[in-house]
């Protein structure tokens, strides 16, 4: 049941604080999905949310609505699949688009102008993140995708954001993945271990019981007086730790030895807070030592649990993804643990730009869904808590 020919899929991602559009040519079906990125663009909202120390959903929604059509125009023209030219929309189509985008301020007007000034692009389908994520933000992408699908008469596919993260290593490294595989997805909103029997067949083995690992990085950054997003800031500081640092703080490794695949990072963050209070005032050397120990603790727990799952499910591959996977220490710990196995397995890493949110991974997840179900979907709803194992 593989789509027989290469399929050009437009991906749209607005689940959190990055607005992203991409055009991907996919082929190979579920058996050996392969992707070629024709053009992609991301507009980050980091500076907008930075003063609040985290993502503000109403601001995210507003920024997505402002940025999405310019990004769409940029990607389609870079991929050379769209031409300028008159494309008069019918009155009914215009009314339907206005109704779909009624809550997105000026978006309907901007989109209708764009549609009427360009011919229908040569693409095959539109995939949009339907969840998980912030619902107000998700709706912007969904409503835009529904409007495009209507105007261009292209099939619409709801894509699962976490499945997108899972396929992200394949965007630059097309290969047949040996299964079963374990997926370790670690982002600002999620920390999950997933058993992948094959593409399209997932079981969540465990997840965080409180904060996601990325969220913990962001909160620890705040404690240390560092900017949002905290991951890059904390790890840059931790890099400065060396043997001349006089401090050697000890933080807990929550749930390291528990008999399950769950995580908990809230206690670790609180331990950082208490330590910071105890040793106040914080100078640079103390901050460096605390950042280093926090990063070590987080990476150790993630690595240990991931390889526990690899061992117990006899996995042949470990697939990692999500923003926290940009972390060098975590990458090094995973590599070192793997090299110590009697038979190391293959670890599939996304490039750093694909570890964080992007729309190429959404086009890829949409392709898998199309290859598996062959059913486009007209009425997509935002599903803030959409678990990957219910995505088919
Ligand atoms: O996947 P992502 O871009 O967005 C979500 O879906 O959440 O992940 C963002 C998270 C943020 O919490 C950020 O602090 C974290 O990834 N992050 C990092 C690093 N770069 C980004 N965490 C640790 N080390 C990094 N180098
Ligand atoms: Zn993400």
């Amino acid at each position: 049941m593989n789509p027989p020919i290469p399929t050009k899929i437009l991906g749209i991602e607005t689940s959190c604080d990055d607005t992203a559009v991409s055009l991907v040519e996919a082929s190979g079906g579920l058996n050996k999905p392969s992707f070629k990125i024709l053009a992609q663009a991301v507009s980050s909202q980091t500076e907008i949310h930075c003063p609040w120390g985290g993502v503000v959903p109403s601001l995210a929604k507003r920024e997505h609505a402002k940025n999405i059509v310019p990004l769409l125009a940029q990607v389609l023209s870079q991929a050379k699949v769209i031409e300028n030219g008159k494309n008069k929309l019918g009155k009914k189509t215009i009314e339907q688009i206005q109704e779909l985008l009624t809550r997105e301020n000026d978006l309907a007007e901007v989109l209708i102008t764009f549609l009427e000034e360009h011919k229908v692009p040569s693409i095959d389908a539109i995939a949009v993140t339907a969840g998980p994520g912030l619902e107000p933000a998700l709706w912007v992408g969904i409503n835009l995708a529904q409007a495009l699908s209507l105007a261009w008469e292209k099939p619409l596919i709801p894509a699962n954001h976490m499945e997108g993260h899972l396929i992200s290593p394949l965007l630059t490294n097309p290969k047949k993945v040996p299964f079963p595989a374990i997926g370790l997805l670690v982002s600002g909103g999620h920390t999950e271990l997933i058993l992948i029997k094959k593409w399209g067949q997932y079981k969540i083995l465990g997840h965080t019981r409180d904060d996601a690992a990325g969220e913990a990085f962001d909160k620890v950054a705040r404690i240390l007086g560092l900017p949002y997003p905290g991951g890059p800031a904390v790890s840059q500081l931790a890099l400065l730790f060396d043997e001349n640092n006089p401090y050697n703080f000890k933080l807990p490794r929550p749930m390291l030895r528990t008999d399950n695949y769950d995580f908990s990072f809230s206690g670790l963050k609180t331990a950082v807070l208490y330590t910071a209070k105890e040793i106040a005032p914080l100078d640079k050397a103390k901050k460096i030592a605390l950042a280093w120990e926090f990063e070590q603790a987080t990476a150790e727990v993630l690595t240990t649990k991931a390889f526990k799952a690899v061992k117990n499910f006899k996995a042949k591959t470990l697939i990692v993804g999500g923003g926290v996977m940009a972390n060098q220490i975590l990458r090094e710990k995973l590599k070192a643990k793997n090299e110590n196995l009697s038979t190391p397995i293959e670890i599939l890493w996304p490039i750093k730009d694909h570890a964080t949110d992007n729309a190429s991974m959404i086009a890829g997840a949409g392709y898998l869904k199309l290859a598996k179900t062959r059913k486009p979907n007209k009425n997509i709803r935002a599903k803030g808590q959409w678990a990957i194992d219910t995505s088919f």
Side-chain angles (χ1 to χ4, degrees):
M1 287 295 278
N2 296 335
I5 39 169
T7 310
K8 277 189 197 148
I9 303 194
L10 178 71
I12 296 173
E13 154 65 34
T14 65
S15 70
C16 190
D17 61 343
D18 289 310
T19 319
V21 177
S22 176
L23 189 68
V24 167
E25 187 169 76
S27 57
L30 274 183
N31 198 27
K32 186 179 181 285
S34 172
F35 307 107
K36 184 172 155 205
I37 299 170
L38 303 179
Q40 61 177 348
V42 183
S43 165
S44 163
Q45 302 173 5
T46 302
E47 278 177 25
I48 310 261
H49 300 289
C50 187
W52 277 267
V55 181
V56 183
S58 59
L59 290 181
K61 174 183 153 77
R62 186 192 74 190
E63 290 302 301
H64 289 315
K66 195 165 88 192
N67 294 325
I68 194 127
V69 174
L71 285 179
L72 176 72
Q74 182 189 332
V75 164
L76 294 176
S77 85
Q78 255 174 28
K80 299 194 173 56
V81 293
I82 198 160
E83 284 175 31
N84 289 340
K86 282 241 167 308
N87 178 23
K88 189 118 186 62
L89 299 173
K91 188 165 167 267
K92 190 165 168 229
T93 308
I94 291 184
E95 279 170 9
Q96 282 173 311
I97 292 176
Q98 281 166 337
E99 193 174 326
L100 272 170
L101 298 174
T102 182
R103 296 213 208 135
E104 327 302 348
N105 303 321
D106 304 331
L107 184 54
E109 214 173 298
V110 176
L111 179 65
I112 290 165
T113 307
F114 169 77
L115 292 171
E116 293 206 313
E117 289 177 353
H118 294 87
K119 301 208 170 128
V120 175
S122 54
I123 63 169
D124 302 303
I126 301 165
V128 62
T129 309
L134 306 168
E135 292 199 356
L138 286 164
W139 274 117
V140 181
I142 292 173
N143 288 334
L144 177 97
Q146 298 203 122
L148 292 177
S149 161
L150 185 84
W152 292 337
E153 297 180 348
K154 303 287 181 192
L156 188 59
I157 317 159
N160 183 287
H161 183 88
M162 303 315 284
E163 188 175 23
H165 276 302
L166 270 190
I167 64 96
S168 62
L170 298 190
L171 293 170
T172 46
N173 179 16
K175 64 176 301 153
K176 192 163 165 52
V177 175
F179 290 116
I182 295 294
L184 172 64
L185 298 183
V186 201
S187 70
H190 293 87
T191 304
E192 281 177 4
L193 271 172
I194 299 158
L195 173 63
I196 312 159
K197 290 178 202 143
K198 51 185 176 174
W199 289 122
Q201 269 191 35
Y202 312 110
K203 182 171 185 245
I204 297 179
L205 299 175
H207 48 72
T208 182
R209 296 189 176 177
D210 39 58
D211 292 355
E215 195 180 350
F217 267 97
D218 295 336
K219 289 177 176 169
V220 166
R222 235 180 296 167
I223 297 168
L224 299 180
L226 301 170
Y228 172 85
V234 170
S235 55
Q236 264 168 31
L237 196 65
L239 267 184
L240 303 176
F241 187 78
D242 60 21
E243 66 278 4
N244 297 323
N245 192 304
Y247 302 105
N248 187 12
F249 303 122
K250 270 280 152 235
L251 293 171
R253 269 65 175 156
M255 301 190 73
L256 184 70
R257 308 263 165 241
T258 52
D259 191 22
N260 55 36
Y261 300 101
D262 284 348
F263 302 94
S264 162
F265 292 101
S266 163
L268 180 56
K269 165 211 69 192
T270 309
V272 172
L273 181 67
Y274 287 159
T275 310
K277 280 188 177 157
E278 242 170 69
I279 61 173
L282 285 180
D283 60 18
K284 182 122 191 223
K286 288 179 189 168
K287 284 187 189 180
I288 290 171
L290 209 44
W292 185 82
E293 172 65 3
F294 166 75
E295 195 175 47
Q296 293 290 319
T298 309
E300 195 178 321
V301 174
L302 290 168
T303 302
T304 305
K305 287 253 155 133
F307 277 94
K308 178 176 159 181
V310 163
K311 180 168 172 245
N312 289 351
F313 291 93
K314 300 189 173 50
K316 296 180 179 144
T317 313
L318 174 64
I319 304 178
V320 303
V324 179
M325 276 300 157
N327 188 281
Q328 201 52 37
I329 297 295
L330 175 57
R331 286 184 176 230
E332 282 166 17
K333 278 211 191 304
L334 287 166
K335 268 190 208 146
K337 181 98 182 169
N338 189 36
E339 277 157 19
N340 275 339
L341 296 182
S342 52
T343 324
I345 59 166
E346 178 149 22
I347 307 185
L348 295 182
W349 316 86
I351 60 165
K352 285 193 182 167
D353 279 356
H354 292 154
T356 47
D357 290 350
N358 64 86
S360 299
M361 70 183 202
I362 298 308
Y367 176 73
L368 293 190
K369 194 158 170 107
L370 192 64
K372 182 155 180 179
T373 64
R374 297 194 140 236
K375 256 199 326 233
N377 195 331
K378 274 212 170 82
N379 292 311
I380 299 180
R381 297 194 63 74
K383 291 185 268 187
Q385 308 291 332
W386 191 17
I388 190 171
D389 51 0
T390 60
S391 74
F392 281 98

